[in-house]
Structures are given as C-alpha cells and as structure tokens.
Amino acid sequence: MARNTYEAWIPEEDSSEVITRVNQMSAVEALASPEPMSSNTKSIPRSAGVGVGVVDKGGAYSEDVSTNDDVVLTAKKLGKAIRIAEEDIDDSLANILATKQKDWATSYAKLLDNATLAVSAAPGAGVPFASVYYQLTQADSGLGYGANDNITVAASGGVSYDDLSTVLEDVEGGDYFDLSRMVVIAHPSYRGVLRRIKDSDQQPIFVRGQQGDAGSPDTLFDLPIHWSLGARVSATATDAPTGKPLLVVANADFLRLGRRSGPESIFIDGRDGLSALTDESILKMRARRGFALGHPKAAAVLVGI
C-alpha cells in the first residue's frame, strides 16, 4: 500500500552545523540586509534619496523630486535531493546524514553567492535573480545610472593597485557610501592578487596584520574582505563557477536578501512506497530566497582575469 503520510519540512536551528556552515561560506547570507517574506513575492521600497533645502522664516517648503518606486523580491527555491542506500546509513560509523547536510550547506552557499553576485545573464532559466554584476552592466536612466558605470575590468597584465582604488571610488563618490555599512566580497583568488601588488620599491603593499596583530581580518583600504567561492562570473547560477573572479564593493543595506523559508530538510524513508524496491532513502534539502540590489550606485564590481 502506498505511503499516505506527509512529514513537515524541518527547519535548521540557528545554532546548527548547517546554518553555521552557510554563514561561514556565504558572504551574502551573512552580510546582506535580510527581508522576511511571508509570501512568494514582496515589494520593498527602493531608496532614491530625499533632498533637503533651506527654508526661510515664513517661506514655503520646496518639494522633493526624488522618484518613489520599489523593487520586488521573488522567492526562488534552491535545493537538491540526495539518495542514500539503507546499507550506508546502517553500516556507516559516521553520521552520513549530517555529513550530507553540511556538504549541501557548502554548495548552497556557493550557489547563492554566485546567483546574487556574479551571474551575467538576466533572470530566466537557471538564473533566479538579477545579480549585482548583471545589474551593473545595465543602464537605468530613471536612476541616472549608465551601463557599466560601476564596473572596472582589469587589463591583461592583471589587477593593479589603481584598479582596486577605482572600484572603491565608484561607490565612495556617490550618495550611497556609508563607511559603517560598506563590505567587500571577493573570490579567494584575490588573496594572491593582493600579496603580489608591490610599491615602487618592490615591497608588498597589502601586508596581513599591518593594521593590527597578525590575527586581524583581511582588509582592503580599511574595509573587511569576505571571501566567497561563488564570486566568479557564470552564465547561469552554479555552485562551481569557473569564470573571471569578481571583487564586489557594496553598501550592505542595499543587498536585499529575501528569506521565505529554510534552510530546511525532509527525510523520506526508503522502507515503504516505491523506494522500498531499492532500499534507498531520500534526503531533500532546500531554502527559498529572493534577492535584489536596492540601487546600482550602491555597489561596484572589479572583474579580474
């Protein structure tokens, strides 16, 4: 007789190894401004700024002309089904389910960062969100942003000191710079880039621990760097991107991450139903997320080689 009971998805606890791994591996999950979602879509206000002027005694207030609009977060499901033989569960000395859950968390973190930061195509098949990189390649006349205004591309000789300075200047010169909220997210290959950049005397410019003890976090011009394996360009969202590495500078308040549900899991026992023919159980894991860049002038990207 076919199984007719339906277990609920089990959300991961905040202190679980899955959540810990996700927050360690995903810069976006850890740093972006969270937006709770109670439905599939949610509109949130887009900040276009508000002007302020001098008002003389008894004078009339001038009206702000900034555009009032919004951005829409649409929850997309990021998940995977993992088939596990009953013998592996019974015979394994280690907890194979916990291992698979942590492995999923690592892949999810890379996929989420890639989808939100580095995918080069518009939303569609295999592309859940308009990534930061994609949005910065598109013109938005309503917001006064020109295509590629905030994108710096390294020359064939590699990333230079001037490239690193320029990508920060793209954000520092605008209205959306807030030193207390600025973050740098970069692919780990930039660690080698920073180690190799030297001054005119051939001395390394970026020296770990230079601004404190040797255990201080990596920084770029006083901004902490968060390393992300998902920060490589790709045509569609993937947990194993192979394109050019990116360094993203952004005001974290404008990295809007919608959280609909998860990470969560469900275990489907293989001892009844159709799975009983193979003695294989299925572990399904998923998270539903939405993402939008609040304003293109709040972020800048450096494309490496």
Side-chain angles (χ1 to χ4, degrees):
M1 184 175 185
R3 182 180 187 146
N4 58 7
T5 59
Y6 298 92
E7 289 81 6
W9 285 82
I10 301 174
E12 293 293 328
E13 297 180 358
D14 289 343
S15 59
S16 73
E17 290 185 333
V18 169
I19 298 298
T20 300
R21 178 70 65 88
V22 167
N23 287 333
Q24 287 174 341
M25 297 292 294
S26 170
V28 172
E29 192 80 54
L31 301 173
S33 179
E35 192 68 43
M37 299 178 68
S38 58
S39 60
N40 186 54
T41 61
K42 182 177 183 178
S43 295
I44 56 176
R46 182 204 299 277
S47 174
V50 174
V52 177
V54 176
V55 180
D56 294 330
K57 182 178 181 179
Y61 285 76
S62 60
E63 294 191 27
D64 180 66
V65 296
S66 302
T67 302
N68 295 323
D69 64 353
D70 57 17
V71 293
V72 178
L73 296 174
T74 301
K76 298 293 184 178
K77 184 161 51 179
L78 310 175
K80 187 67 81 173
I82 306 161
R83 191 175 293 273
I84 306 172
E86 186 174 298
E87 293 90 338
D88 290 336
I89 297 175
D90 293 340
D91 298 343
S92 176
L93 293 176
N95 187 339
I96 190 171
L97 294 180
T99 299
K100 290 295 184 181
Q101 286 177 314
K102 287 188 290 185
D103 289 345
W104 177 90
T106 298
S107 296
Y108 163 75
K110 291 187 287 185
L111 175 66
L112 179 67
D113 282 8
N114 181 253
T116 55
L117 299 175
V119 173
S120 59
V127 183
F129 320 118
S131 74
V132 172
Y133 176 67
Y134 171 75
Q135 288 189 253
L136 295 186
T137 64
Q138 308 300 303
D140 192 329
S141 58
L143 298 177
Y145 178 81
N148 299 306
D149 279 356
N150 282 14
I151 289 185
T152 301
V153 180
S156 58
V159 174
S160 68
Y161 183 90
D162 287 345
D163 291 334
L164 296 168
S165 179
T166 297
V167 71
L168 264 73
E169 289 173 1
D170 285 339
V171 181
E172 291 169 336
D175 293 334
Y176 299 92
F177 175 77
D178 179 349
L179 185 59
S180 67
R181 297 296 296 150
M182 299 307 297
V183 297
V184 177
I185 302 172
H187 188 269
S189 61
Y190 277 89
R191 291 174 62 87
V193 170
L194 296 179
R195 288 195 297 266
R196 288 191 295 270
I197 293 179
K198 298 180 174 63
D199 60 21
S200 58
D201 295 324
Q202 294 303 300
Q203 295 300 310
I205 293 176
F206 299 99
V207 179
R208 184 170 177 82
Q210 187 169 273
Q211 300 169 14
D213 59 50
S216 62
D218 295 339
T219 61
L220 177 63
F221 303 123
D222 297 326
L223 296 179
I225 303 175
H226 301 267
W227 306 106
S228 169
L229 289 168
R232 277 189 181 274
V233 177
S234 62
T236 58
T238 174
D239 60 6
T242 58
K244 294 184 177 181
L246 300 183
L247 183 146
V248 179
V249 181
N251 183 327
D253 289 337
F254 291 83
L255 301 176
R256 307 302 295 271
L257 182 67
R259 290 177 172 167
R260 180 68 181 91
S261 65
E264 55 194 352
S265 63
I266 187 169
F267 182 74
I268 302 172
D269 199 315
R271 285 175 289 187
D272 62 13
L274 292 178
S275 295
L277 297 175
T278 62
D279 289 337
E280 290 181 314
S281 299
I282 297 175
L283 173 66
K284 292 201 297 185
M285 298 196 67
R286 72 181 185 187
R288 296 179 66 194
R289 293 291 186 266
F291 177 80
L293 175 62
H295 200 289
K297 293 184 178 181
V301 168
L302 170 60
V303 183
I305 59 172

